[in-house]
Each structure stands twice: as C-alpha cells, then as structure tokens.
Amino acid sequence: MAHLTSAEAADLLERFRHYLREHRLPVTQQRDLIATAIFTAPDHLTAAAVHQRLARQGKRIGIATVYRTLDLLVESGLIRLHEFGDGFRRYEGAAPQGSHGHLVCGVCGGVEEFTNERLERMLPIIADEHHFRYRTHRVELHGTCRACQQRTLEGL
Amino acid sequence: MAHLTSAEAADLLERFRHYLREHRLPVTQQRDLIATAIFTAPDHLTAAAVHQRLARQGKRIGIATVYRTLDLLVESGLIRLHEFGDGFRRYEGAAPQGSHGHLVCGVCGGVEEFTNERLERMLPIIADEHHFRYRTHRVELHGTCRACQQRTLEGL
DNA sequence: ATTTTTGCAAACGGTTTGCAATTAC
DNA sequence: GTAATTGCAAACCGTTTGCAAAAAT
C-alpha cells in the first residue's frame, strides 16, 4: 500500500500480535521489527529489502527469520505476496479498506498502484458466474509508465 | 489457452518461424519442437513439463535449450508467462483473439480460465486514466474452485 | 522449566551460463 | 565456411531447512 499512516501501521502491528497470541506463538522482537518494516514501507519490498531496511536501522536479523516471519504475515492475511515476473517475491501491507491493482512498467520495472471501484465490484461477480468461491484477486496492467513514455519520446 | 485448434497451433508456429527469420536467428528443430509443444498443450506448462512432454515423444532436448527457446517465445509475444505463486513459471500459447483471466484454487492449486468481455474492455481504459500505455494485462481470481467447495461440504 | 524461535551455514531447486561440439544458413 | 545453437555440467541465486544456542511464555 502506498505508505500507510503510522496509525494504520500501528493497527496492523497490533493485529499481528493478536494473531500470534491467538495461535499460541511467541511475540518476539524480530517479528515486531519485520512486520513494522513492511507496514511502514512506501512500496513493495522483497525479503532482501526488508533485511537491508532493518540492517540500516542497526537491527541484524537473520534472513531465514525474515522469510519465516513473512510466511506468518501472509498466513495471517496482514500482508500480501506478489510476483511481478522478475524472479523476486514482493510483499506489502494489506490495505485495511480494500484491494488495488498494479501498473507494471516493462521498461523501468517500476510498479504503481491504482484503485477502481467498478473493477472491484465486478470481480467477485465474475467468480460467482463461474461457481468459484471468491477470496481475493490480483490485477496487473503491463505496459509503459508515464515517465518512460516521455523518456522514449525524448529519444534517449 | 484451453487447447488451441491444430490450425491455430500451426499458425503460431509459422509466426514464430517468421519472427526468427526477421531477427536473423536460425530456425532449428529444437525451436520448432518446443514451440509446438506449448502451442498444442491443453494447459499451462512449466519448463520441466515441456521438457518431459518432448522426452515422452522421444525428443531428447537439453533443459537449457528449453529455457532459451521459451525466452524467445515470450519476447516474440507468441506465448505468455505466468507465475501463480507456487515457485514455477508457467507458459501458454498466446490466444490469437484475446486474453483471459485465471481462477486459481487455493485448495487444489488448479487453474481454470475465464473470459469476460466487459472486463477486457475496461482494463485498457483504466490504464489510460492513469496515463499508462497499455500493452497487456493479467487478472487472477483466488479462492476455491467448484470441485473443492463440494469436497469440503462432504467433510473430507 | 518447557516450548518455540533464532541465526548460522548448508542444502535445495528452478533457472542461467560457459564452453566445446554440432547445426543452420 | 561462418556464425549461431545445442547440450552438458557447473554456477547462480532466491528460498528453505537442520540444528545448537537463545529467548519467550
């Protein structure tokens, strides 16, 4: 999600702790830090990016712990996993209010977000038409972002 | 694509050969075989599946060649790459007439396809609204397929 | 005190690459 | 005949796992 407010991040962290207690799992420093790193990130992070982000704050956490905690966060539904086709798994905090689509630029590899109410309303209906029980969706539009279009026009 | 007709497969193969000649690249037996394996497959194949499919026909082709040719096919736009989140890249022949979405079952891992005209019309418009030059899209609906819903009801 | 997590390093598995032999043109 | 591909095996790299030490309950 494009930069959650600190209140939203705090809420997600509290929900993660609740999830852990509910499942009789220890609430550790590492889990708090990893969850917070994702909830406060402005964009979609890879596992390595989470690890670096924490290292830059002086928090040395094993990469294995990062992966294990990311799994927990995905299972709890508090973060979402994406694979945009470049071989990296990326994670982002789950939006409290709803989902969004992604605009993936084939030139610079950047990913922007968009929301569209009509689309959001449509997708569960389509699932239903195919007797498929809807849980969530993923919409990616691939093409060229505005900046790269202009860069191409300028002949660089 | 859910089983292209042999005419459609033949057309795609001819377009692949044309693409190769256009780029001054040799048309080899291996490239023909790999392309045909995908174009005639009933579903989404992994690189390993393509390799096995050919091996079963007595065609021993190196897995590296499979990967290299899949890259060419993706670049040529004649096949599409998907990553449904299980760690495998899957490939399918590009539909001559248009795209389709995927229904990904979280229980059995199966993938069904659907088409929806209204959705197809909508997506390029959404891209445009965000000043994004549309090339293609990917829509996945995640949930539970019909068969797994029934299996759950039966209490298995 | 018991149970689970953590962190390291090694293993894993899909994908990519270097290079000599082969094939396409 | 020249230039590119092929196939093998090794390398690569993101991710997972085994296990002893450390932390949470």
Side-chain angles (χ1 to χ4, degrees):
Chain A
M1 208 58 212
H3 226 177
L4 297 169
T5 66
S6 58
E8 286 171 328
D11 176 55
L12 283 170
L13 179 58
E14 196 41 61
R15 288 210 271 154
F16 182 45
R17 287 179 175 151
H18 184 257
Y19 173 88
L20 292 172
R21 285 190 283 261
E22 209 170 35
H23 289 73
R24 309 273 186 281
L25 299 172
V27 176
T28 65
Q29 274 190 60
Q30 288 89 333
R31 285 174 176 166
D32 268 12
L33 287 166
I34 292 164
T36 301
I38 296 235
F39 295 152
T40 63
D43 50 2
H44 313 82
L45 266 51
T46 60
V50 171
H51 189 247
Q52 285 164 28
R53 216 173 139 81
L54 292 168
R56 235 172 270 129
Q57 298 173 220
K59 316 289 186 186
R60 306 196 154 282
I61 294 182
I63 189 72
T65 301
V66 172
Y67 277 107
R68 286 186 282 230
T69 303
L70 289 174
D71 286 347
L72 281 173
L73 283 160
V74 170
E75 281 161 29
S76 72
L78 296 170
I79 68 174
R80 293 255 291 157
L81 165 63
H82 296 286
E83 302 186 53
F84 294 125
D86 59 358
F88 293 85
R89 294 186 184 177
R90 294 183 141 75
Y91 302 84
E92 68 173 327
Q97 66 282 3
S99 189
H100 56 261
H102 291 107
L103 301 166
V104 183
C105 178
V107 178
C108 66
V111 179
E112 300 165 52
E113 298 178 355
F114 72 87
T115 54
N116 186 292
E117 264 197 55
R118 220 151 75 80
L119 179 63
E120 302 288 324
R121 260 181 282 127
M122 211 168 150
L123 295 172
I125 294 169
I126 293 175
D128 199 59
E129 284 170 3
H130 295 273
H131 309 285
F132 188 87
R133 189 195 295 148
Y134 174 87
R135 182 172 54 81
T136 183
H137 68 260
R138 173 168 290 127
V139 176
E140 297 170 22
L141 301 182
H142 291 252
T144 312
C145 73
R146 193 177 202 169
C148 286
Q149 286 174 49
Q150 293 181 339
R151 217 173 294 131
T152 306
L153 282 177
E154 289 160 12
L156 290 172
Chain B
M1 208 59 212
H3 226 178
L4 298 169
T5 65
S6 57
E8 286 169 329
D11 177 55
L12 283 170
L13 180 57
E14 196 42 59
R15 289 209 273 155
F16 183 45
R17 287 178 175 152
H18 184 257
Y19 173 88
L20 291 172
R21 284 188 284 260
E22 210 169 36
H23 289 72
R24 309 273 188 279
L25 298 171
V27 176
T28 65
Q29 275 189 61
Q30 288 89 334
R31 285 175 175 166
D32 268 12
L33 287 165
I34 292 164
T36 302
I38 296 236
F39 295 152
T40 63
D43 49 2
H44 312 83
L45 265 52
T46 61
V50 171
H51 188 247
Q52 284 165 28
R53 216 173 137 83
L54 292 168
R56 235 172 270 129
Q57 298 171 221
K59 315 289 185 186
R60 305 196 155 281
I61 294 181
I63 190 72
T65 301
V66 172
Y67 279 106
R68 287 187 281 231
T69 303
L70 290 173
D71 286 346
L72 282 174
L73 284 160
V74 170
E75 282 161 29
S76 72
L78 296 170
I79 68 173
R80 294 255 291 155
L81 165 63
H82 296 284
E83 303 186 52
F84 294 124
D86 59 358
F88 294 84
R89 294 185 184 177
R90 294 183 142 72
Y91 301 85
E92 69 173 326
Q97 64 284 0
S99 189
H100 56 261
H102 290 109
L103 301 165
V104 183
C105 178
V107 179
C108 66
V111 178
E112 299 164 53
E113 298 177 357
F114 72 87
T115 54
N116 186 293
E117 263 196 58
R118 222 151 75 80
L119 180 63
E120 303 287 325
R121 260 181 282 129
M122 212 168 151
L123 296 172
I125 294 169
I126 293 175
D128 199 57
E129 284 171 2
H130 295 273
H131 309 284
F132 188 87
R133 190 195 294 146
Y134 175 87
R135 183 173 52 82
T136 182
H137 67 259
R138 171 169 295 126
V139 176
E140 297 170 22
L141 301 181
H142 291 252
T144 311
C145 73
R146 192 178 203 167
C148 286
Q149 286 174 49
Q150 294 180 339
R151 216 173 294 130
T152 306
L153 282 177
E154 289 161 12
L156 286 173

